[in-house]
Amino acid sequence: MNLTTLLATPATGPDARIHSRGDRYVVIDDLLPSADFEATADTFARTRLKPVLSTIDPVYDGFAHRGGEEKQRLTHTADDAPRWQRAVKEQIRAHLGLLAAPGAEDRLSLTLSAWGYPAGTRLSWHNDAGAGRVGAYVYFTHRTWSSDWGGGLALIDEESHADAADGDALVHTATHPTLVLPRPNRLVVFRAHTMHAVQRVDATAGDRLRRTWTGFITEDTP
């Protein structure tokens, strides 16, 4: 990490706080100050999204909407980077132990993609294993959301098993799923090999999208 990064003013807002945590995940609320979150929401609203078919269950998950993908080093942030990107990186670095990657920040990168889930869509259970992934993050950027609209992030706070993608097997897991509601300005960071899913967005959401910046945290290979 260079000196400029060390001396930079934190992007994480002064009111940011840990809402809840488990062995494999952490939920951070009010990541950005209000004005910066509003700017982030505006930028997301202008981001061009295209419908994409789910890679988990293309038959029943439905079409989500995605805006590109960028990959960045965890320890490098451009001077003109959006504040949300800097804040997400700060929180990932602060929770490397949760990702079982202490001291590895110089070897880590993260992807950044905009995702919108309209009414009727979901993302089935999966564990983000493979491809050098050590974790993932989800940052909610819609301005308003109701728990009646669905779209919650469900996690099972244990290391996934070989048959973890089998819905019947998950019914018998010893650990009850944790449901993280899509609160605006909320960040979730969790370890790879953790089963998780996006609940189906309910019809009562109308034309509102469940909006997130989402990506993987990966360990670079030499």
Side-chain angles (χ1 to χ4, degrees):
M1 186 181 299
N2 59 39
L3 184 61
T4 301
T5 302
L6 287 171
L7 297 178
T9 302
T12 300
D15 296 325
R17 64 194 185 281
I18 293 178
H19 170 275
S20 54
R21 66 184 306 158
D23 293 335
R24 306 176 68 84
Y25 74 93
V26 61
V27 180
I28 299 153
D29 281 350
D30 299 325
L31 178 70
L32 296 181
S34 296
D36 292 293
F37 176 69
E38 287 296 317
T40 301
D42 282 341
T43 300
F44 192 104
R46 294 192 299 269
T47 301
R48 188 173 183 178
L49 305 178
K50 297 180 179 180
V52 293
L53 201 57
S54 168
T55 58
I56 308 300
D57 189 338
V59 175
Y60 293 109
D61 284 352
F63 283 92
H65 295 75
R66 182 183 183 186
E69 181 171 301
E70 182 182 354
K71 188 174 183 178
Q72 298 181 6
R73 296 294 300 273
L74 178 61
T75 54
H76 176 75
T77 303
D79 292 339
D80 60 349
R83 185 162 182 165
W84 75 264
Q85 290 184 14
R86 293 189 284 125
V88 165
K89 288 182 178 182
E90 287 170 1
Q91 293 305 316
I92 291 172
R93 290 198 299 266
H95 294 94
L96 290 178
L98 178 80
L99 301 175
E105 59 185 284
D106 290 333
R107 303 193 305 273
L108 297 181
S109 296
L110 70 159
T111 59
L112 308 98
S113 294
W115 286 91
Y117 281 80
T121 60
R122 69 173 189 184
L123 187 61
S124 299
W125 289 100
H126 60 290
N127 65 5
D128 288 345
R133 298 171 188 147
V134 299
Y137 69 91
V138 178
Y139 178 48
F140 296 103
T141 61
H142 37 248
R143 284 191 172 89
T144 60
W145 199 262
S146 168
S147 58
D148 291 334
W149 299 342
L153 175 65
L155 305 102
I156 298 180
D157 193 21
E158 63 181 22
E159 185 172 0
S160 58
H161 305 295
D163 61 354
D166 184 335
D168 292 339
L170 284 178
V171 170
H172 302 287
T173 183
T175 302
H176 291 292
T178 296
L179 180 62
V180 180
L181 297 178
R183 185 181 191 271
N185 205 12
R186 167 175 281 176
L187 172 68
V188 187
V189 180
F190 55 95
R191 196 187 307 180
H193 291 270
T194 301
M195 291 303 298
H196 59 285
V198 175
Q199 289 187 318
R200 195 178 300 279
V201 178
D202 193 79
T204 54
D207 61 357
R208 303 174 184 87
L209 291 178
R210 175 194 186 271
R211 299 180 176 185
T212 66
W213 283 104
T214 301
F216 300 119
I217 305 155
T218 62
E219 187 165 15
D220 301 325
T221 56

